[in-house]
Amino acid sequence: MRRKGDGVRLAGGLLIALAAGASGADYWVLLAVVLATVLAVAAEALLPPAGDTRPDRIAGSVSRLGLVLVFAATFGEYLFPAAPGAAAAVFTVVVTVADLAGVRLGDYAARWITGLLLAAAASLIAICVGIPPLAQFIAPDPPSVPGLGFAVLVLLPFLLPRRPGAGRAAAVGAVTVAITAVALYQLGPIRLGLSATSFRELLAAADAVSLLPVLTVVAAVATVPVAVDAFTDGRERLSPERPKATLACGLIVAVAAAFAGPVVALGLAGVGTLAELVLRVRARRYRSRRA
């Protein structure tokens, strides 16, 4: 399967992942982004693609269905803050129906959505740089190893490109570094990590409250299309059969979305992604021995 929408997936993930990373790593979340980018670039440059063994398929499915949970949580938190769990569950039901109907994120749509989201990211960066920050810089304490590790874990799934290529990983990482830097500049790590919807706080701090409706639209555009793609990819890794596999995966993800918060969703996606990397390292060593 061709994997599409790196920019869309990054936008949908960062809306929540950056807040979770900042809550654990403080200012060092910027270092976490750099470390995750280096890891992603190295993986794309040195490791073979994910294999087709049963462990590979299970790890890949967990990673992608975990991403669906993240996008569902993002959708619920930003669009329906009064009942995010219920909204996330409904979101996954819609994604399941879309998979049953054969809806896919095409290349043309992915390029247009990515372009719109990159324009939104550029506007956000310009606004945050142009407005003096409210947050006062406080020298950070030495990094907490668990906090730094958690930040890398939750950010990594959005920095590994779905289409292979070290250059793509580096480009995605560069955008993430820029967004992280301006978010820390405007809010500081405490306010950035205080809420799952801290990008609302970011616009408020940058004196751009009028753009909050735009942020809501961005949250919807950055989650719905790529969630369908991730769900289909995760379901096909478990079983190509439809509708049986679709309904089973949809039920599991919908129940999880109703009760699991953003941190659990991010952790699940991160663990699945890390497992995929470990299996790719094992495959490289196996090929090296045979050579």
Side-chain angles (χ1 to χ4, degrees):
M1 171 183 289
R2 298 186 70 192
R3 295 165 180 174
K4 302 171 278 290
D6 288 331
V8 189
R9 184 170 49 84
L10 174 65
L14 278 189
L15 286 171
I16 281 186
L18 200 55
S23 67
D26 199 64
Y27 274 112
W28 298 101
V29 68
L30 188 58
L31 175 60
V33 173
V34 173
L35 291 176
T37 300
V38 170
L39 185 57
V41 171
E44 293 304 311
L46 302 175
L47 300 181
D52 200 40
T53 66
R54 186 174 181 80
D56 286 308
R57 296 175 71 86
I58 291 175
S61 182
V62 170
S63 171
R64 284 145 186 80
L65 294 179
L67 288 176
V68 176
L69 276 179
V70 174
F71 300 137
T74 303
F75 182 89
E77 293 286 348
Y78 275 91
L79 274 77
F80 298 94
V90 172
F91 177 95
T92 59
V93 171
V94 172
V95 168
T96 302
V97 172
D99 181 62
L100 281 172
V103 176
R104 301 291 180 267
L105 177 62
D107 285 339
Y108 183 77
R111 283 194 293 269
W112 269 101
I113 295 173
T114 299
L116 291 172
L117 293 176
L118 284 174
S123 300
L124 176 68
I125 291 170
I127 291 171
C128 290
V129 171
I131 301 295
L134 294 178
Q136 182 179 3
F137 176 78
I138 300 175
D141 294 326
S144 161
V145 174
L148 189 61
F150 175 76
V152 172
L153 181 71
V154 300
L155 289 165
L156 185 60
F158 310 101
L159 296 175
L160 277 170
R162 308 323 274 177
R163 287 178 178 172
R168 294 178 68 87
V172 170
V175 173
T176 308
V177 167
I179 293 174
T180 305
V182 298
L184 288 172
Y185 173 72
Q186 272 295 334
L187 289 181
I190 295 177
R191 290 181 67 186
L192 180 60
L194 192 61
S195 168
T197 56
S198 57
F199 272 79
R200 293 185 183 276
E201 292 289 328
L202 181 58
L203 288 180
D207 201 21
V209 178
S210 60
L211 295 179
L212 286 176
V214 177
L215 178 62
T216 302
V217 173
V218 167
V221 171
T223 54
V224 178
V226 75
V228 175
D229 213 42
F231 181 89
T232 302
D233 198 0
R235 185 263 302 164
E236 287 184 344
R237 285 174 181 269
L238 285 180
S239 172
E241 295 181 9
R242 202 177 58 186
K244 185 184 295 186
T246 297
L247 293 175
C249 290
L251 178 61
I252 293 170
V253 177
V255 172
F259 298 102
V263 174
V264 174
L266 287 164
L268 183 63
V271 168
T273 301
L274 189 61
E276 275 193 287
L277 287 181
V278 170
L279 290 170
R280 289 171 65 183
V281 170
R282 188 185 68 172
R284 183 175 186 273
R285 289 179 177 175
Y286 178 73
R287 294 181 184 183
S288 298
R289 290 197 199 101
R290 295 197 65 179

